[in-house]
């Protein structure tokens, strides 16, 4: 095996998309595949999402939109972030989000209102040009403060009241699509949930979602530390008694963050703690008994959730999965359809 193997299960992604579409009823699902599909591989997840019924794709940057357009000639693609490169957007048949300044012509535009995120977006609805196809806002607290999210939705409803019914209104992200029925307008922009990760940092199964990404490696070396011996930089782990240690050839350069010390991984199917300092290219696990080099290690998958690692690192799964490096020099990436 390579140092580690990242599996992307497009069958599971399709099931997540269909599950969300079931909840959304008549609201369109737009799949958010920015940041290389949250680290899962934008081209693969975008086509699987479209096959499962996503009506459009959303990216963050013009360059992401253009490279997705090269592999997917058909679907609508929205660029969520700001860009001044209007001619290239037009040539790539991309749709733009505009939240400030004049509305560019001859390109489909979604006008963004700032109803409480305090980031991009007009304070009030500007004069609309005929190329405007959508009105949108973005919720700051759909995952944790539904009352504030409802206030934002109320402001959005007021600001857009009486607008042309041919315009698509959209406000929901994954958390809102799952828990705030009033946010399900013309379309919902779902990212994290299509990857089977919980926007609430909980077990995705609570919302009927299954993780798409698996990350597996193996023990590269097994050794015994005598009492007083240590593993890794800074001697952050010192054995108190004779202790078996397994070294896994995955480190923070692969996306297994330094603040994941103390999290658990599965060694031969059993939960074992990561001990000592995570290095750039390796990490150590404490074993209960000597195991053979080559013993399978699951970093994410087989019931071990990315949410557990995120909690340990004091972050969110979004940041964790965006950081996993699937480049051929570091890992093997396998796309399956199970
Ligand atoms: C990233 C993003 C989303 C998707 O959010 P999730 O929580 O991943 O569903 C939706 N809308 C906008 C504007 C975004 O930037």
């Amino acid at each position: 095996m390579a140092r580690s193997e990242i599996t992307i299960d497009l069958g599971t992604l399709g099931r997540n998309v269909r599950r969300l579409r079931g909840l959304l009823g008549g609201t369109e699902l737009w799949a958010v595949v920015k940041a290389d599909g949250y680290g899962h591989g934008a081209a693969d997840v975008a086509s699987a999402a479209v096959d499962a019924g996503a009506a459009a794709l959303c990216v963050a940057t013009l360059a992401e939109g253009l490279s997705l357009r090269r592999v997917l000639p058909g679907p609508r693609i929205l660029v969520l972030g700001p860009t001044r490169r209007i001619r290239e957007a037009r040539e790539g048949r991309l749709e733009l989000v505009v939240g400030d300044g004049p509305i560019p012509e001859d390109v489909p535009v979604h006008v963004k209102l700032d109803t409480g995120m305090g980031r991009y977006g007009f304070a009030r609805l500007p004069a609309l040009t005929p190329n405007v196809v959508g009105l949108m806002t973005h919720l700051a607290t759909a995952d944790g403060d539904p009352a504030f999210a409802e206030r934002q939705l109320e402001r959005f409803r007021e600001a857009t009241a009486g607008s042309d019914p041919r315009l698509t209104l959209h406000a929901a992200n994954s958390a809102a699509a799952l828990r705030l029925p009033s946010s399900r307008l013309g379309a919902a922009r779902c990212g994290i949930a299509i990857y089977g990760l919980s926007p609430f940092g909980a077990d995705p199964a609570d919302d009927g979602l299954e993780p798409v990404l698996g990350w597996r490696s193996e023990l590269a070396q097994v050794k015994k530390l005598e009492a007083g011996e240590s593993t890794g930089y800074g001697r952050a782990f010192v054995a108190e008694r004779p202790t078996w240690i397994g070294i896994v050839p995955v480190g923070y350069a692969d996306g297994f963050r330094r603040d994941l010390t103390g999290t658990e991984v599965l060694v031969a199917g059993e939960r074992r703690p990561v001990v000592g300092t995570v290095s750039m290219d390796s990490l150590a696990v404490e074993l209960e008994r000597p195991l053979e080099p080559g013993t399978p290690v699951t970093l994410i998958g087989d019931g071990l959730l990315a949410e557990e690692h995120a909690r340990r690192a004091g972050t969110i799964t979004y940041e964790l999965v965006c950081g996993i490096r699937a480049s051929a020099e570091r890992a093997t990436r396998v796309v399956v359809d199970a």
Side-chain angles (χ1 to χ4, degrees):
M1 153 183 240
R3 297 171 65 250
S4 74
E5 186 173 283
I6 294 157
T7 45
I8 303 298
D9 184 343
L10 298 180
T12 301
L13 185 113
R15 281 194 293 282
N16 292 334
V17 168
R18 284 191 291 273
R19 154 93 187 141
L20 289 160
R21 284 184 58 219
L23 273 180
L24 287 170
T27 299
E28 288 190 352
L29 183 146
W30 294 357
V32 181
V33 299
K34 60 193 178 189
D36 198 23
Y38 292 39
H40 290 61
D44 293 322
V45 299
S47 13
V50 169
D51 289 346
L57 301 166
C58 302
V59 296
T61 72
L62 182 89
E64 287 179 345
L66 293 174
S67 55
L68 200 54
R69 178 56 82 214
R70 280 193 282 278
V71 289
L72 289 175
R76 296 175 66 184
I77 302 176
L78 281 74
V79 179
L80 297 174
T83 180
R84 295 182 208 283
R85 291 154 62 184
I86 311 302
R87 186 181 50 79
E88 287 168 85
R90 224 175 263 138
E91 285 166 6
R93 289 178 292 109
L94 306 178
E95 302 180 20
L96 297 182
V97 169
V98 176
D100 193 19
I103 296 175
E105 287 171 7
D106 299 327
V107 63
V109 163
H110 299 255
V111 166
K112 185 168 190 175
L113 290 165
D114 181 5
T115 58
M117 177 64 114
R119 215 171 55 174
Y120 298 118
F122 292 99
R124 58 193 65 77
L125 203 62
L128 302 183
T129 49
N131 55 315
V132 172
V133 296
L135 303 178
M136 64 181 283
T137 194
H138 194 35
L139 303 174
T141 65
D143 57 339
D145 180 353
F148 186 77
E150 292 287 4
R151 253 197 340 268
Q152 282 196 260
L153 288 165
E154 183 53 36
R155 282 182 205 142
F156 186 58
R157 271 191 297 273
E158 278 168 18
T160 57
S163 59
D164 187 331
R166 284 170 301 183
L167 299 176
T168 304
L169 303 189
H170 47 110
N173 55 9
S174 295
L178 288 166
R179 300 283 169 86
L180 290 177
S182 62
S183 73
R184 299 171 191 155
L185 306 170
R189 307 179 303 267
C190 295
I192 201 79
I194 71 171
Y195 306 102
L197 299 169
S198 167
F200 313 105
D203 186 340
D206 295 351
D207 289 295
L209 303 168
E210 289 173 75
V212 169
L213 182 144
W215 194 11
R216 295 177 183 85
S217 182
E218 62 185 24
L219 296 181
Q221 188 167 350
V222 175
K223 65 173 52 181
K224 190 177 182 186
L225 300 180
E226 300 299 343
E229 292 183 332
S230 60
T231 181
Y233 287 111
R235 305 196 70 222
F237 177 84
V238 181
E240 287 173 4
R241 62 191 80 83
T243 301
W244 287 98
I245 290 286
I247 310 299
V248 181
V250 173
Y252 61 79
D254 303 286
F256 199 94
R257 303 157 54 110
R258 253 177 118 254
D259 45 13
L260 282 176
T261 297
T263 198
E264 290 179 335
V265 298
L266 300 176
V267 181
E270 290 171 26
R271 286 178 174 263
R272 303 303 310 152
V274 172
V275 294
T277 305
V278 175
S279 311
M280 190 181 290
D281 311 307
S282 67
L283 61 89
V285 287
E286 185 179 353
L287 305 176
E288 277 181 324
R289 57 199 150 89
L291 291 171
E292 286 301 310
T295 299
V297 176
T298 301
L299 304 170
I300 295 177
D302 308 321
L304 187 82
L305 297 173
E307 284 80 1
E308 300 176 40
H309 295 323
R311 258 196 306 282
R312 167 63 62 169
T315 185
I316 52 177
T317 52
Y318 297 74
E319 191 188 13
L320 203 77
V321 291
C322 282
I324 296 176
R325 189 176 303 191
S327 72
E329 293 85 0
R330 306 285 311 185
T332 309
R333 184 172 172 277
V334 186
V335 178
V336 298
D337 191 344

